[in-house]
Amino acid sequence: HLNQADFLAALDRGRLAGATLDVFEQEPLPSDHPFWSHPAITVTPHIAAICDPGSAAGQIAENIRRARAGETLVNAVDLSVGY
């Protein structure tokens, strides 16, 4: 649980050096949210997870095949929703 106002104040005062954030109260994060423009915050597209090498390797191999065939990639980031 994150108190966003306190968190931003801690960043602005230098009490925190920075943050990478992945999950938000509202998904997708609204385009005017201050997290997007804060110089000490990196926003990621809801990708945090435990990665199983076996299943990840299969998806990577499939995406390489798809890329070479000119096909749409599996689980591609959709920039139209802000990520």
Side-chain angles (χ1 to χ4, degrees):
H1 299 275
L2 178 69
N3 179 306
Q4 294 182 26
D6 291 346
F7 174 69
L8 288 168
L11 285 168
D12 291 340
R13 291 186 195 120
R15 304 224 355 118
L16 296 173
T20 299
L21 305 176
D22 187 67
V23 178
F24 306 98
E25 185 175 337
Q26 182 180 352
E27 296 275 351
L29 189 63
S31 61
D32 61 344
H33 196 284
F35 287 173
W36 287 115
S37 59
H38 198 285
I41 295 176
T42 299
V43 173
T44 61
H46 204 116
I47 58 173
I50 296 173
C51 182
D52 171 55
S55 63
Q59 181 176 323
I60 291 167
E62 175 62 14
N63 273 342
I64 290 170
R65 185 201 67 74
R66 286 172 178 247
R68 288 179 175 164
E71 299 173 3
T72 302
L73 303 181
V74 175
N75 295 323
V77 172
D78 184 352
L79 296 177
S80 70
V81 295
Y83 291 90

